[in-house]
Amino acid sequence: NLWILIIAVFIASIGLNIDSTPIIIGAMLISPLMGPIIGTGIAVGINDMELMKRSMRNLLTASLFAILAATVYFWISPLNEAQSELLARTSPTFYDVIIAILGGAAGFLALSTTGNHFQVIVGVAISTALLPPLCTVGFGIATGNWLYSLGAFYLFFINSVFIAISTFLSVRLFKFSTKVFADKNH
């Protein structure tokens, strides 16, 4: 998954660099960032702390690798001007929160039902835009523009948190069985 993520980061970074929405969308489709975020929401919802630790570790690792790969790309890229696609990831709005909540709910519902859920997952990956903000963080680090990095990381954080919260609420709403411990003190 890390190699797929790094490839997706380079594709998204090129798309951000040359201001190409189709390239950015393509990168979001192959990015494996959604899994650990949904896993975190499910873990909290079913009280599975092992899943929570694994999901958080995977998300942290993936995020660090994505930022590092994007930083390397933008550091060696001859193009260092911020294009409109990149600038769009530097200042989150209230609509980003709403999109993350709805996207998280749709993603969880698609994963928790049988049938063809591929289209829904693809739509969630595009709408919640997890990868481009991390690439924008890398751009900000590579160019020394810390405000871009902070704004983009804030957008990634908002998307991640509200996708996880939406997943958690969906797990509780659909009354998934929680993990039961043999010893209540544990």
Side-chain angles (χ1 to χ4, degrees):
N1 275 345
L2 282 178
W3 284 111
I4 293 170
L5 176 67
I6 290 169
I7 291 167
V9 165
F10 283 128
I11 293 170
S13 296
I14 291 168
L16 289 168
N17 216 219
I18 64 172
D19 210 28
S20 173
T21 304
I23 293 174
I24 296 166
I25 290 171
M28 288 187 286
L29 292 177
I30 60 176
S31 169
L33 286 171
M34 186 67 76
I37 297 170
I38 289 180
T40 302
I42 291 171
V44 174
I46 64 172
N47 196 29
D48 187 341
M49 290 305 113
E50 289 305 313
L51 177 60
M52 171 70 139
K53 288 178 197 173
R54 196 168 63 243
S55 296
M56 292 298 290
R57 184 180 64 241
N58 289 344
L59 180 59
L60 181 63
T61 301
S63 300
L64 291 175
F65 270 87
I67 292 169
L68 180 64
T71 301
V72 168
Y73 170 82
F74 285 112
W75 186 59
I76 62 174
S77 172
L79 304 172
N80 59 5
E81 265 188 51
Q83 302 294 330
S84 64
E85 285 290 342
L86 197 137
L87 292 172
R89 272 64 177 184
T90 60
S91 53
T93 67
F94 180 70
Y95 292 113
D96 295 311
V97 172
I98 301 300
I99 291 167
I101 290 169
L102 296 174
F108 172 77
L109 290 172
L111 289 173
S112 65
T113 60
T114 58
N116 184 8
H117 57 269
F118 179 73
Q119 287 178 320
V120 175
I121 298 302
V122 167
V124 171
I126 294 170
S127 66
T128 56
L130 296 165
L131 189 60
L134 289 178
C135 293
T136 304
V137 171
F139 174 84
I141 292 170
T143 60
N145 192 328
W146 301 107
L147 289 178
Y148 284 1
S149 290
L150 288 173
F153 188 77
Y154 184 52
L155 175 58
F156 173 75
F157 180 78
I158 285 172
N159 284 339
S160 298
V161 166
F162 283 100
I163 290 169
I165 288 171
S166 182
T167 302
F168 163 76
L169 293 174
S170 297
V171 165
R172 291 296 171 101
L173 178 69
F174 290 105
K175 299 179 183 187
F176 276 47
S177 58
T178 58
K179 192 171 184 178
V180 179
F181 298 98
D183 178 12
K184 288 188 178 188
N185 293 329
H186 178 69

